[in-house]
Amino acid sequence: MYKVDLSADPKEVAAIEARRNREKERQSRFFNVRNRVKGVDVQALNSQVKEQKLRKAKERSEEAAYGIKQVQYDLVAQMLEKEEAEKTCRMTKKTQDFQKQKQQLPLNNRHEFNFWDPDGLQLFPACLGGTNSFPGPDILQHLGEDLNRSSCLRAQQEQFRCSLDKQLQKQEEARAEAARIDKLSNQLRLAMDMQAAHTARLEESCRVAMMTAMANANKAQAAELAMRQRREHQRQQEANLKEIQKQVTSDLLTENPKAAQHPRAPHRVLSYCWKGMTPEQRAAIRKAQGAQCHEKAAQNRAEQALNNEWENQTMCLAQAALELEEQERELCAEFRRGLGSFNQDLAKEQRAQQNYLNSIIYTNQPTAQYHLQFNNSSR
């Protein structure tokens, strides 16, 4: 609706200009007859080969870096698997030790009395104070009593001291295991850091090698381009010299009219060698143009006379038409006047006839008795 001049985007303008320059360079390569050999763009093919070599070198470097990272990941995975297996073994061993120490069947270390044990009665003496080796009624006073309290206390103290020593030993073992795990973790981190540093060095060396190869390729390409440009400039100079010599020695600049004459058809000329018309040819053309102008003027005068005749005839016809229209209007007026007078006469006659009928013929009005007799007679 409103035309507003907006400034173009510099990036878009630069991109359009770059595409236009590339298209111009491409067209110059395609339309250059000296460089084009059977429709093959040698420069484009060489650039494609160089790009393919650079892409292959980049792929090889990426594959080498990927292989190094894969080896590093495999080493870390092996170390983690080894650590997980060792941890599983330690947990299994701890579980087995706990089951042996705390979850044994209560056969030898139980403190309650089992009435269903047939050999349980042999654990208690029949009579500690008597001489009878067979159990008697006095065995009832010893059931449920602790007759060896002092020995039991000593045994409990000894067992507590043993359990305490075992707990201290387990704590020491746990601390040693934690220290060993920390040491292994430090070794793993150190190995990973060393592997990462080695990988970084390899990547840096690959990058340096790639940059060196790319720089060498660019230098070679620049040298080849400079050489090709020098050769092109030399060929262009030689071609220009040959063209100048050809133009100087040929009939193109000598203004020779015979050079344009066809060798097999004298009435025809060679368009690429024709230098123009001769004075005789130009005079003949001017003479023919003058004759054509005279003919055209005579034709115009004849056409003008014919047009004037037609205009006069048209004016005469228009005048006759106007006279006929006037006569027609006069006849119509006279006809309307005669028709009016005739209508007036007819109206007078009709009024006289009506007066005669009303005053003489229709003087007696019919009565109701007349209508009754007429109806009866009609029945």
Side-chain angles (χ1 to χ4, degrees):
M1 183 175 180
Y2 298 102
K3 184 176 180 182
V4 181
D5 295 333
L6 299 177
S7 61
D9 190 3
K11 294 183 178 179
E12 186 177 358
V13 173
I16 293 172
E17 188 66 25
R19 285 197 299 271
R20 188 180 293 113
N21 293 333
R22 287 197 298 271
E23 184 65 23
K24 288 182 180 178
E25 183 180 359
R26 176 171 168 272
Q27 290 179 2
S28 65
R29 291 200 310 270
F30 285 169
F31 296 112
N32 194 349
V33 182
R34 295 183 178 88
N35 293 336
R36 187 173 70 249
V37 180
K38 293 183 181 181
V40 178
D41 192 359
V42 181
Q43 184 179 1
L45 294 177
N46 293 331
S47 63
Q48 290 178 3
V49 171
K50 292 178 182 178
E51 289 177 359
Q52 187 175 6
K53 289 181 180 179
L54 291 176
R55 186 172 62 254
K56 288 183 178 180
K58 185 177 179 182
E59 289 178 357
R60 285 196 297 272
S61 62
E62 289 179 356
E63 289 177 358
Y66 179 75
I68 294 170
K69 289 183 180 180
Q70 191 68 26
V71 171
Q72 179 182 357
Y73 294 155
D74 292 340
L75 180 61
V76 173
Q78 290 177 4
M79 296 177 71
L80 292 175
E81 288 178 357
K82 184 177 180 182
E83 184 179 358
E84 187 68 23
E86 291 178 356
K87 184 177 180 181
T88 304
C89 291
R90 290 195 301 270
M91 292 297 296
T92 304
K93 186 176 179 182
K94 287 182 181 180
T95 303
Q96 291 177 358
D97 294 340
F98 180 78
Q99 288 177 355
K100 288 180 181 179
Q101 294 176 6
K102 303 297 182 179
Q103 295 181 355
Q104 291 182 357
L105 295 175
L107 297 176
N108 298 324
N109 57 353
R110 61 189 178 184
H111 299 285
E112 68 273 7
F113 181 74
N114 189 7
F115 291 97
W116 303 100
D117 190 4
D119 297 329
L121 298 175
Q122 297 179 5
L123 300 175
F124 298 96
C127 184
L128 298 177
T131 58
N132 191 4
S133 59
F134 297 97
D138 55 353
I139 191 64
L140 298 175
Q141 65 181 352
H142 301 292
L143 294 175
E145 296 181 1
D146 192 3
L147 301 179
N148 297 323
R149 181 178 179 80
S150 59
S151 60
C152 289
L153 290 175
R154 286 194 298 275
Q156 288 179 359
Q157 291 177 0
E158 186 67 24
Q159 185 178 4
F160 180 73
R161 186 165 46 255
C162 291
S163 63
L164 184 60
D165 293 338
K166 289 181 179 179
Q167 290 178 2
L168 292 174
Q169 185 179 0
K170 288 181 181 179
Q171 291 178 1
E172 291 293 335
E173 291 178 356
R175 284 194 292 271
E177 186 69 19
R180 190 173 70 83
I181 292 172
D182 293 338
K183 183 178 180 181
L184 290 175
S185 300
N186 294 329
Q187 291 178 359
L188 177 61
R189 285 194 294 271
L190 182 60
M192 291 176 64
D193 294 339
M194 292 176 65
Q195 187 69 23
H198 181 64
T199 304
R201 287 195 297 273
L202 289 177
E203 290 179 355
E204 184 66 22
S205 62
C206 291
R207 189 179 65 80
V208 171
M210 186 184 298
M211 294 298 293
T212 304
M214 189 178 295
N216 294 331
N218 291 333
K219 289 180 181 178
Q221 188 176 2
E224 184 180 357
L225 181 60
M227 181 62 69
R228 189 164 57 250
Q229 288 178 355
R230 286 196 296 272
R231 291 176 181 175
E232 175 64 23
H233 182 69
Q234 185 177 0
R235 285 197 300 268
Q236 189 70 25
Q237 291 295 331
E238 292 176 357
N240 292 335
L241 290 175
K242 290 180 181 179
E243 186 70 21
I244 292 170
Q245 185 178 3
K246 181 181 177 181
Q247 294 294 335
V248 170
T249 57
S250 65
D251 294 334
L252 183 63
L253 299 178
T254 57
E255 298 295 336
N256 187 8
K258 295 181 180 180
Q261 188 175 1
H262 200 279
R264 291 187 297 272
H267 62 281
R268 297 178 60 185
V269 295
L270 300 176
S271 59
Y272 56 88
C273 295
W274 188 54
K275 302 300 180 180
M277 294 184 296
T278 60
E280 293 80 7
Q281 292 175 347
R282 288 195 291 269
I285 290 174
R286 291 194 185 96
K287 185 177 180 182
Q289 288 178 351
Q292 290 177 0
C293 290
H294 290 301
E295 291 178 0
K296 186 68 175 177
Q299 185 179 0
N300 291 333
R301 285 193 298 272
E303 290 180 355
Q304 186 67 27
L306 183 62
N307 292 330
N308 294 331
E309 184 67 23
W310 277 106
E311 288 179 358
N312 294 329
Q313 188 175 1
T314 303
M315 292 176 65
C316 292
L317 292 174
Q319 187 67 27
L322 290 174
E323 292 177 358
L324 289 175
E325 288 179 358
E326 186 66 24
Q327 292 177 2
E328 185 178 359
R329 283 196 295 272
E330 290 178 357
L331 290 175
C332 289
E334 186 178 357
F335 176 76
R336 282 195 294 274
R337 285 194 297 273
L339 183 62
S341 62
F342 179 73
N343 290 331
Q344 289 178 1
D345 295 337
L346 287 177
K348 290 178 181 179
E349 291 179 359
Q350 188 176 5
R351 284 196 298 273
Q353 183 70 20
Q354 188 68 31
N355 293 328
Y356 174 74
L357 292 174
N358 292 330
S359 60
I360 297 174
I361 303 264
Y362 301 125
T363 55
N364 296 324
Q365 296 294 331
T367 60
Q369 185 179 1
Y370 171 77
H371 289 292
L372 182 60
Q373 291 177 1
F374 180 76
N375 292 330
N376 292 329
S377 63
S378 61
R379 289 178 182 176

